[in-house]
Amino acid sequence: MPLTYFKKSAMKKIILISLAMVATMGCTRMYTLPDAPPKAQWQAAQEVKESPEDVMKRFLDAKRAAIQCFAALADGRYDTALTWMSAETNAWFNTHSGGKGAAEAFKAKTLELNGENIEFDPVGDVFIRDLTDIRDDFGGRKDEESATRKVLYAVSASGQARELVFVLEEDRWRLDSPHIQTDLLTE
């Protein structure tokens, strides 16, 4: 046999041994991680503080949605108003529409609750009667808000307010109000 055959064979063995060594070294641990501390010592990660610009943008975007929803309700454009409401809110109004759909229930100004038809004012019961302002704060309340949840207040001419929760759904702020006639607040 020629000498080159032995060289090629030896070269193949060297390459195979080298690959095996590399594979073996890659599977071994270079160091070990320390054990986690006991659960009693765990600390919650601090929330990332948002910039004032991001907070203001969220407020303005949610307020624009509130104005759009209110205007559609006040003008009797109920199908449009429903597009400014969350899926859960739409489902709630459809469920309590007596089978006629939320927009028709708004038009008839009646909802079916506990087997009874009740009168319902789409503007006054969802927002507030005699709306004069939509605010970010009312009476110094501390609201549970996040990047996808915003609390606003519909304020009446008499100074009372109703909490309005908006959620970010499908890249748009929508009123999340699967109920009617929530408590009125005073400062």
Side-chain angles (χ1 to χ4, degrees):
M1 293 195 169
L3 187 57
T4 56
Y5 173 77
F6 289 112
K7 287 183 183 177
K8 286 182 183 177
S9 176
M11 197 60 138
K12 284 182 185 176
K13 287 181 183 175
I14 292 172
I15 290 173
L16 288 173
I17 292 171
S18 298
L19 287 174
M21 288 176 54
V22 168
T24 304
M25 287 193 298
C27 293
T28 61
R29 288 183 155 178
M30 299 291 285
Y31 58 91
T32 58
L33 294 173
D35 292 333
K39 195 168 187 168
Q41 293 177 1
W42 290 7
Q43 295 177 355
Q46 299 225 350
E47 282 189 35
V48 176
K49 292 284 184 184
E50 289 182 293
S51 71
E53 292 83 12
D54 289 341
V55 172
M56 182 57 71
K57 182 181 180 333
R58 187 171 62 240
F59 162 66
L60 292 174
D61 289 347
K63 185 171 181 174
R64 278 186 207 101
I67 291 168
Q68 292 293 329
C69 186
F70 176 83
L73 287 172
D75 292 344
R77 295 179 292 119
Y78 302 122
D79 286 324
T80 301
L82 288 164
T83 67
W84 290 100
M85 296 181 188
S86 70
E88 184 179 0
T89 302
N90 272 274
W92 190 88
F93 281 114
N94 279 320
T95 299
H96 297 286
S97 69
K100 56 189 170 215
E104 287 300 314
F106 285 4
K107 186 185 279 185
K109 297 187 178 189
T110 59
L111 291 174
E112 188 178 289
L113 295 171
N114 302 323
E116 291 182 42
N117 284 335
I118 63 161
E119 287 190 28
F120 165 70
D121 175 12
V123 175
D125 291 336
V126 174
F127 279 82
I128 199 165
R129 287 170 183 76
D130 300 322
L131 178 76
T132 59
D133 195 11
I134 297 174
R135 296 184 193 164
D136 191 23
D137 182 40
F138 186 79
R141 288 174 171 73
K142 197 74 173 152
D143 301 316
E144 289 184 39
E145 297 181 336
S146 68
T148 59
R149 185 178 192 276
K150 181 70 183 151
V151 178
L152 299 176
Y153 296 91
V155 182
S156 71
S158 66
Q160 293 180 311
R162 177 168 283 135
E163 181 181 274
L164 304 173
V165 176
F166 283 80
V167 293
L168 191 59
E169 204 173 79
E170 298 176 9
D171 295 327
R172 184 177 184 184
W173 287 100
R174 298 173 194 270
L175 177 64
D176 191 41
S177 181
H179 43 70
I180 58 168
Q181 299 176 338
T182 57
D183 294 336
L184 293 177
L185 309 171
T186 55
E187 285 192 275

